[in-house]
Amino acid sequence: MAALATTGLSVGWIWSKADAVSPVALPSGGAPIDTVSPSVKPSETPTPYGKVLGTSMVASNNDTMPIMSSAWGNYGETTGLWGGAAIWLTVHKNYNGKGASWGNYTAFGQLPPDIPYKNTAAGLREAAVQIGSRAIINLYDKDAQVMKGTTHKAITVNGHPGHELVAKVVVKVPMLAETYSTVMISVIDRGDGTADVAIADIAGSTSAWQSVYRHKVSQIQINK
């Protein structure tokens, strides 16, 4: 458990890892099976993953969100989404003279199943807080400082209710000309008891991308 300083966000989940039972293939013929030995440990259910296909990020449930622009490249999903995909835009290349780069990040996927979810206004808000806290810790660390002024607002995406959370994370990196980064979380109810999530981490010096992100969120397609 961890708390983020000076923020309306809070970390309210417990990281857990549980074994899942995998189906066992039965022989197609031969003698009947008298007993089944439980001595073999079931394999862990693999985490699903999304992908970037053409101009869209495609979650493992086949919902889609358009990419920000062709300038953004495919990138591994690192914020903890379920079955998600991500893209990246370099803003400061080799800012320290040692090859380090700083950039903008956008991801799209599903709300992880270990975060409780209710398809109500309060449930959407709480889900945004939970996945927002997780994303900030994964993108930065558990001691990340969030500036005052975190905002919440209800949104609607193609008739589906949602919630947007926006927070500014303090950036203190030697030789990097950024003082903060804006993390934007959008949770959209799918209508089946689950939710999609879009996440953007946008450098303070490139705030124009925030409007692009909101426009792309408005174009999310839910396929059921």
Side-chain angles (χ1 to χ4, degrees):
M1 304 285 270
L4 300 181
T6 62
T7 177
L9 296 180
S10 63
V11 180
W13 68 85
I14 298 174
W15 289 95
S16 64
K17 192 173 184 181
D19 292 327
V21 177
S22 298
V24 178
L26 298 178
S28 58
I33 298 175
D34 296 326
T35 60
V36 176
S37 172
S39 61
V40 178
K41 185 178 180 179
S43 61
E44 184 177 330
T45 301
T47 301
Y49 61 90
K51 60 188 76 174
V52 179
L53 291 177
T55 59
S56 295
M57 288 180 283
V58 184
S60 62
N61 61 5
N62 290 322
D63 291 354
T64 61
M65 174 179 170
I67 63 174
M68 299 284 278
S69 85
S70 59
W72 292 59
N74 197 347
Y75 192 79
E77 204 294 302
T78 59
T79 56
L81 296 183
W82 187 256
I87 51 177
W88 169 271
L89 175 71
T90 299
V91 177
H92 302 288
K93 186 176 182 180
N94 192 25
Y95 63 83
N96 64 353
K98 298 179 181 180
S101 294
W102 186 272
N104 294 339
Y105 171 93
T106 301
F108 175 67
Q110 298 168 251
L111 185 70
D114 61 325
I115 294 181
Y117 174 67
K118 293 183 179 179
N119 58 347
T120 63
L124 284 161
R125 180 188 174 105
E126 180 60 22
V129 169
Q130 295 297 317
I131 192 61
S133 297
R134 183 175 299 187
I136 288 173
I137 289 174
N138 286 345
L139 289 168
Y140 296 90
D141 58 48
K142 64 180 181 62
D143 297 318
Q145 292 184 329
V146 177
M147 301 166 65
K148 292 182 179 179
T150 296
T151 64
H152 292 267
K153 72 174 183 179
I155 60 175
T156 302
V157 177
N158 290 325
H160 292 260
H163 188 89
E164 180 191 87
L165 181 156
V166 179
K168 291 183 178 179
V169 178
V170 176
V171 173
K172 294 181 180 179
V173 178
M175 303 180 71
L176 177 66
E178 295 287 349
T179 57
Y180 72 91
S181 191
T182 302
V183 176
M184 308 175 74
I185 311 293
S186 302
V187 179
I188 302 104
D189 180 63
R190 301 187 72 249
D192 62 355
T194 66
D196 282 338
V197 180
I199 296 175
D201 183 15
I202 298 173
S205 63
T206 62
S207 59
W209 284 108
Q210 295 180 32
S211 296
V212 178
Y213 165 79
R214 287 192 172 105
H215 178 62
K216 300 302 181 179
V217 167
S218 74
Q219 296 178 309
I220 288 172
Q221 295 292 324
I222 293 175
N223 300 291
K224 293 192 294 182

